[in-house]
Amino acid sequence: MAEPATAANASGSPPAGEPVSPSDGDRRRRWLLIVVLVALAAALAAVWISSRNSQRELRLEVAKRLGSVEVAEATSRAAIKEAQEVLRETQAKMSLLETRLAESQTQQAALEALYRELAPSRDEWALTEIEQVLLLASQQLQLAGNVSAALAALQLADSKLQRLDRPQFVPLRRALARDMDRLKAVPFVDVSGLSLRLDQAISAVDSLPLALEERLPAPQAPAQAKDEPGWRRFLREAWQDVRQLVRIENLDRPEAPLLSPQQQYFLRENVKLRLLSARFDLLFRDLANFRADLNASDAWLRKYFDSRSGPVQAMLTLIRQLQATDMAIEIPDLARSLEAVRVLKLAREKPLR
């Protein structure tokens, strides 16, 4: 009985007392396969989730870029619409001014025709002419605030009365003198000079460099020795090429906005329209709109143009000087002189009646 057992042990069968189930090895292999499949599924899920997150971030970035482009386009359209409205208002003001001037010219022509028909005396002609001159001067003050033209008209009327040398004209000359003193006390505003400077600024807008066109100065090449060895020159040139691959720049201002050629054109046109509107505001002595247009031009120049360049700095300096112009002055009227000349005319007409 012992020999068969010994033979069984020698043949590799498990010893007695250590039973082994034939399914343990299969179970281990199945668990190992399950673990591998779970790990593979987790890896695939991680790759899928990462790919989906990347796609979502890409869609968000594209949507953000499209939103910024739409906002910029809407801003440009709003600015163009505002500039068009300002231009229409300016044209309306110019039409009103031309209408007033045409009415004045018509009145003057009608008065001249009436004078020729009635053939009045020399004094009556002089009074009527002085009244017409005073009316024109008063319109210049009310419409354009032209103090120098009104003062010249009063001086012309006074010189005419001086040549006539009539005692009854003394009250009129006294009223003219008071009005001339009031006009001389008005602070002088060089409207013609300021308008000329604005015209020059409008002409220079097309040549101003934009902020996105800013370029750094080219590096200067080091001086080369005459008897420099070839290997040293080769190493120096290679080092220069390597240095050009990397550029360190200190950004002390926000990044320049990118503009398409169409947006650049509309930007320059908007700046010119703002400056043109400021020129008309200067003619009408509208200080609030004058400074508002200059402030808008200054903001656009600082945001979209290269403020480090000489032409842009000159333009900004000009705008600051124009902003300091004080036009908030009280323009006197010529009511006293007009009243005095009309009193004289009524006094001469009463005896005739």
Side-chain angles (χ1 to χ4, degrees):
M1 295 294 295
E3 291 180 359
T6 304
N9 291 333
S11 63
S13 52
E18 295 182 2
V20 177
S21 175
S23 62
D24 289 343
D26 295 336
R27 187 178 295 110
R28 291 192 187 96
R29 284 193 297 272
R30 283 197 300 271
W31 279 106
L32 181 61
L33 180 60
I34 291 172
V35 171
V36 171
L37 290 176
V38 170
L40 181 60
L44 291 176
V47 171
W48 180 78
I49 292 173
S50 176
S51 175
R52 186 168 182 178
N53 290 335
S54 300
Q55 292 178 359
R56 183 172 59 187
E57 292 178 357
L58 180 60
R59 287 196 297 268
L60 291 176
E61 182 67 21
V62 171
K64 183 178 180 181
R65 293 290 180 87
L66 290 176
S68 61
V69 170
E70 291 177 355
V71 170
E73 185 178 359
T75 304
S76 300
R77 290 178 179 176
I80 294 172
K81 184 177 180 180
E82 182 180 358
Q84 291 175 351
E85 292 178 355
V86 171
L87 183 58
R88 284 195 296 268
E89 292 178 359
T90 304
Q91 291 175 350
K93 292 180 180 179
M94 291 296 296
S95 300
L96 178 61
L97 181 60
E98 292 175 355
T99 303
R100 294 286 182 85
L101 292 177
E103 290 177 357
S104 300
Q105 293 174 356
T106 304
Q107 293 175 1
Q108 183 178 3
L111 287 174
E112 290 177 355
L114 182 61
Y115 298 157
R116 286 192 297 268
E117 292 176 1
L118 297 178
S121 65
R122 183 180 179 184
D123 293 346
E124 293 176 353
W125 178 275
L127 289 175
T128 306
E129 185 178 359
I130 290 173
E131 183 183 11
Q132 185 65 26
V133 170
L134 293 177
L135 286 173
L136 292 175
S138 179
Q139 290 178 357
Q140 286 289 325
L141 286 176
Q142 293 176 1
L143 296 178
N146 196 343
V147 178
S148 59
L151 182 59
L154 292 181
Q155 291 173 349
L156 177 63
D158 185 69
S159 62
K160 190 173 187 62
L161 293 174
Q162 184 180 6
R163 288 194 302 268
L164 293 174
D165 194 15
R166 299 286 192 274
Q168 61 270 25
F169 293 158
V170 172
L172 177 56
R173 293 194 63 188
R174 190 179 296 116
L176 289 174
R178 285 196 298 266
D179 287 339
M180 284 190 290
D181 292 337
R182 294 172 62 194
L183 290 177
K184 290 177 182 178
V186 175
F188 175 72
V189 179
D190 188 10
V191 177
S192 300
L194 295 177
S195 298
L196 181 60
R197 297 180 69 182
L198 282 172
D199 287 339
Q200 293 174 353
I202 293 172
S203 302
V205 169
D206 289 333
S207 61
L208 295 179
L210 295 172
L212 55 88
E213 298 173 352
E214 181 180 0
R215 297 290 184 271
L216 296 176
Q220 297 180 357
Q224 300 180 5
K226 296 182 180 180
D227 54 351
E228 184 180 13
W231 63 272
R232 183 174 295 177
R233 183 171 62 253
F234 173 78
L235 291 178
R236 179 174 50 76
E237 293 176 354
W239 173 245
Q240 292 295 331
D241 293 338
V242 172
R243 289 181 60 185
Q244 292 179 0
L245 296 177
V246 179
R247 186 181 71 185
I248 300 176
E249 182 180 356
N250 184 17
L251 297 177
D252 55 353
R253 59 178 181 175
E255 185 178 357
L258 299 178
L259 300 174
S260 64
Q262 185 178 8
Q263 291 174 338
Q264 295 176 19
Y265 169 78
F266 285 116
L267 172 64
R268 296 183 188 274
E269 292 299 318
N270 288 333
V271 173
K272 289 192 287 186
L273 284 175
R274 280 289 189 176
L275 294 175
L276 182 61
S277 178
R279 184 175 181 274
F280 285 113
D281 295 333
L282 176 65
L283 295 177
F284 290 102
R285 294 183 180 270
D286 189 353
L287 182 61
N289 290 328
F290 178 73
R291 289 182 176 174
D293 290 331
L294 291 179
N295 289 335
S297 302
D298 182 85
W300 287 346
L301 288 173
R302 293 181 185 277
K303 182 176 181 181
Y304 296 103
F305 291 82
D306 183 13
S307 58
R308 298 180 180 179
S309 64
V312 177
Q313 290 181 357
M315 182 78 75
L316 292 174
T317 302
L318 173 61
I319 290 177
R320 285 196 299 270
Q321 293 174 356
L322 293 175
Q323 287 173 338
T325 303
D326 187 11
M327 296 185 297
I329 55 179
E330 183 179 357
I331 303 297
D333 55 17
L334 304 179
R336 295 180 180 178
S337 298
L338 286 170
E339 184 179 358
V341 72
R342 287 167 182 169
V343 168
L344 285 175
K345 289 183 66 177
L346 289 174
R348 295 184 63 87
E349 291 175 357
K350 285 181 179 179
L352 297 177
R353 294 179 183 177

